[in-house]
């Protein structure tokens, strides 16, 4: 999809008439359009689209739909349906009453473009720019920064599930990008052993059986890592993110005696050991899921979670609207005290440094 900037037209007359009749006491989306305008222009997103190809939908509209979708916690299908059916959305988006909307898949494609272009902060930046133009946001005002925890969208696993599922996820990735290479090196037993998600299988009962299973998974993982290091292995396979995750997970949870050879060439199974809990490195370094390698475990006061910390800065002038000015997200293991400097610097870079502020809590 290419970008051909559109001229943003006023709200269609029929749409405005019906919307005001439906909401005689006002509505947040109507007020937003009347007070802030469309906030975005197509040109704001020019760097995210190629200059040729089939014209895409106006990104200024997709940006507003993304904000409303987040505000109302809607899935993509629900958001696309709201564009078709709701008069308040049509008013904000300058759509005719008869506009049929668009396919819901466009929304995920737009988010992918924002992430690929590292432009996710553009939505907030443009809103702040508009507020500053209207005089609602002023530099050197009082601000505060609060922090809260964010749960990662992952299943929390014990150590045995984690190592087995990490190996399974890595094998699935290799089966997608290099099926012939994997088929040539993988033993037939792996197809049975790692064919299903680990939570859908029954783990061994009893400590001795679990220890044996952990050692078997460790040997399989080392066999895969050794095969990846072979000279004949394509270089791009070693650079896959899941390979890095597998290597880091094995470094944390396993130890292998040096000089014993690989798990494939040396039948001495005692060379691989599943570390005891007491021997593990600090939890702040631990990968908790192969599907989100950045999520970390944290215990703070009476709360324990796996995921992230998000630090939200907002204005707190008593006579002005409270506006978010910056959002800073880190893995949960990063302490709040380590975030004050980058947050302050980011506010300075946007000419939003506060005259007075409060620390993160």
């Amino acid at each position: 999809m290419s970008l051909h900037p559109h001229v943003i037209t006023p709200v269609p007359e029929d749409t405005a008439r019906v919307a005001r009749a439906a909401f005689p006491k006002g509505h947040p989306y109507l007020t937003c359009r009347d007070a802030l305008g469309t906030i975005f222009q197509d040109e704001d997103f020019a760097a995210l689209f190629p200059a040729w190809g089939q014209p895409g939908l106006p990104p200024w509209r997709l940006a507003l739909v993304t904000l409303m979708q987040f505000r109302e916690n809607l899935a993509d299908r629900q958001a696309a349906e709201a564009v078709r059916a709701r008069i308040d959305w049509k008013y904000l988006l300058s759509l005719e009453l008869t506009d049929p909307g668009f396919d819901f898949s466009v929304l995920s494609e737009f988010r992918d473009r924002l992430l690929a272009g590292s432009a996710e902060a553009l939505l907030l930046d443009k809103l702040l720019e508009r507020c500053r133009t209207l005089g609602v946001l002023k530099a050197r005002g009082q601000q505060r920064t609060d922090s809260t925890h964010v749960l990662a969208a992952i299943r929390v696993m014990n150590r045995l599930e984690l190592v087995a599922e990490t190996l399974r996820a890595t094998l699935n990735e290799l089966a997608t990008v290099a099926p012939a290479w994997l088929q040539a090196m993988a033993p037939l037993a792996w197809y049975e052993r790692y064919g299903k998600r680990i939570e859908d299988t029954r783990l061994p009962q009893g400590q001795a059986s679990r220890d044996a299973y952990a050692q078997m998974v460790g040997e399989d993982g080392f066999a895969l890592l050794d095969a990846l290091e072979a000279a004949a292995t394509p270089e791009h396979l070693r650079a896959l993110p899941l390979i890095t995750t597998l290597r880091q997970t094995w470094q944390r949870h396993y130890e292998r005696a040096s000089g014993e050879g690989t798990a494939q060439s040396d039948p001495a199974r005692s060379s691989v050991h599943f570390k005891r809990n007491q021997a593990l490195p600090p939890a702040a370094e631990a990968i908790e899921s192969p599907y989100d390698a950045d999520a970390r475990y944290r215990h703070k006061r009476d709360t324990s979670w796996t995921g992230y910390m998000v630090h939200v800065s907002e204005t707190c002038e008593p006579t002005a609207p409270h506006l978010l000015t910056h959002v800073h997200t880190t893995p949960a293991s990063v302490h709040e005290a380590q975030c004050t400097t980058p947050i302050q610097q980011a506010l300075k870079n946007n000419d939003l440094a506060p005259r007075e502020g409060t620390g993160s809590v």
Side-chain angles (χ1 to χ4, degrees), residues 271-332:
S271 62
V272 174
H273 300 283
F274 194 52
K275 295 179 182 178
R276 299 301 177 187
N277 290 338
Q278 297 82 352
L280 294 178
E285 305 172 8
I287 293 176
E288 301 292 341
S289 170
Y291 306 110
D292 191 343
D294 294 327
R296 292 293 183 268
Y297 173 80
R298 173 84 178 270
H299 178 83
K300 181 181 178 183
R301 301 189 185 98
D302 296 328
T303 304
S304 298
W305 76 99
T306 298
Y308 301 86
M309 288 288 292
V310 60
H311 306 265
V312 180
S313 302
E314 68 171 344
T315 61
C316 52
E317 294 287 351
T319 59
H322 291 191
L323 301 172
L324 297 186
T325 55
H326 183 66
V327 178
H328 183 70
T329 304
T330 68

Side-chain angles (χ1 to χ4, degrees), residues 138-144 315-317 352-357:
K138 299 179 180 180
R140 306 300 295 172
Q142 184 175 346
Q143 295 188 44
R144 64 184 178 191
T315 61
C316 52
E317 294 287 351
L352 292 172
R355 176 187 74 255
E356 178 182 352

